[in-house]
Amino acid sequence: IKTGYGIDEYRVSLTYATTILIIAIMLIVSWNVAGLKPALQRIHEDYSLSSCASSLTAASNAANGTKLQATTAATENNANSSTKKQDTTTTTTANACPFTNYLQLHGNIDILCLQEHKIPLSQLSSRAEPHRCSTIPGYESFWSCATDQKSRGFNGVVTYAKTGIVQSADSSPLQDPELDGQGRCIMTDHGTFVLFNVYVPNGIHPNKMKFLHALQNSMRVQRESGKHV
């Protein structure tokens, strides 16, 4: 049965009981952004309220046309009117942030994994990051920045996840100061599974195999603890 909220319900009749299974569909996207600052600038240009006004107006008109065609009782109309007001407020709040608007319009992304954000830890610590991208409505962000001398200003991974779906995060999952200092991996724990957001060294990087072995070991530890990876 399609519920309309991204969830399908399957009801299975058994001999002595009825079992209900709820299967939630989660959209996880990975993107090597190769510099988050210029990407955010483009997003703020193309997905601001003014840029999206025409498409939002068209969608609203289409929705209103459908509502006018519906035949309902007066009490149902009142209930629907209340619901519409709440929906409009929610939409306006979300669309006020171009980045949130971008994530919603691209499939209502649940988790976004970005590689090569190239934002220094100092900017995050002082809240001077571009477009205040560490805090956006409806999402939490989890960062790993390059802190060693050779990689500083490069690399970096960040995971954006809808509020409430991350139990914990680890920006040093490789358990190796040299590797974790390169800002190439962050792990988020979602309860039944963990997600590794990884920017793997290229083919000629001297630490590539060391990195992959450390990643493999970290994944093994999580699987042995009962987590899906």
Side-chain angles (χ1 to χ4, degrees):
I1 301 173
K2 296 289 185 180
T3 63
Y5 295 96
I7 299 175
D8 296 341
E9 295 184 7
Y10 296 90
R11 290 175 171 81
V12 182
S13 297
L14 304 179
T15 305
Y16 299 104
T18 300
T19 301
I20 300 177
L21 302 177
I22 306 297
I23 302 177
I25 298 175
M26 182 175 289
L27 178 59
I28 303 174
V29 174
S30 181
W31 176 19
N32 188 321
V33 71
L36 183 54
K37 183 177 180 179
L40 283 174
Q41 183 61 40
R42 183 63 183 270
I43 287 173
H44 276 249
E45 291 173 358
D46 294 345
Y47 291 87
S48 64
L49 278 174
S50 57
S51 298
C52 298
S54 58
S55 60
L56 291 173
T57 300
S60 176
N61 290 338
N64 289 333
T66 302
K67 294 166 190 171
L68 290 174
Q69 294 174 8
T71 303
T72 58
T75 54
E76 292 176 336
N77 282 332
N78 292 334
N80 289 338
S81 177
S82 176
T83 303
K84 292 166 196 171
K85 290 179 181 178
Q86 294 174 4
D87 292 344
T88 301
T89 302
T90 302
T91 301
T92 302
T93 302
N95 287 330
C97 175
F99 197 5
T100 299
N101 195 26
Y102 172 85
L103 296 175
Q104 291 181 340
L105 290 176
H106 286 78
N108 195 19
I109 295 171
D110 294 290
I111 301 175
L112 176 66
C113 299
L114 299 180
Q115 300 85 42
E116 282 196 282
H117 63 67
K118 298 183 180 180
I119 295 177
L121 180 60
S122 58
Q123 287 190 11
L124 291 174
S125 300
S126 61
R127 293 309 312 275
E129 76 278 12
H131 298 284
R132 304 212 21 125
C133 60
S134 64
T135 305
I136 64 173
Y139 289 82
E140 297 174 297
S141 64
F142 305 89
W143 300 72
S144 177
C145 300
T147 56
D148 68 11
Q149 293 295 331
K150 294 180 180 179
S151 303
R152 190 172 297 174
F154 297 94
N155 303 339
V157 292
V158 54
T159 298
Y160 288 90
K162 284 186 175 178
T163 303
I165 66 173
V166 176
Q167 295 186 357
S168 63
D170 187 356
S171 61
S172 303
L174 304 179
Q175 301 299 305
D176 184 313
E178 180 185 11
L179 296 177
D180 288 319
Q182 295 176 14
R184 292 182 177 275
C185 183
I186 188 163
M187 184 191 77
T188 48
D189 188 333
H190 302 268
T192 58
F193 72 96
V194 296
L195 178 65
F196 287 84
N197 179 4
V198 177
Y199 175 50
V200 178
N202 62 32
I204 61 174
H205 196 286
N207 284 337
K208 179 174 183 178
M209 295 311 300
K210 182 180 179 181
F211 178 91
L212 291 175
H213 287 148
L215 177 62
Q216 184 181 44
N217 183 63
S218 185
M219 289 180 170
R220 177 185 57 78
V221 170
Q222 292 300 320
R223 291 191 177 100
E224 289 177 351
S225 71
K227 300 282 188 179
H228 295 285
V229 177

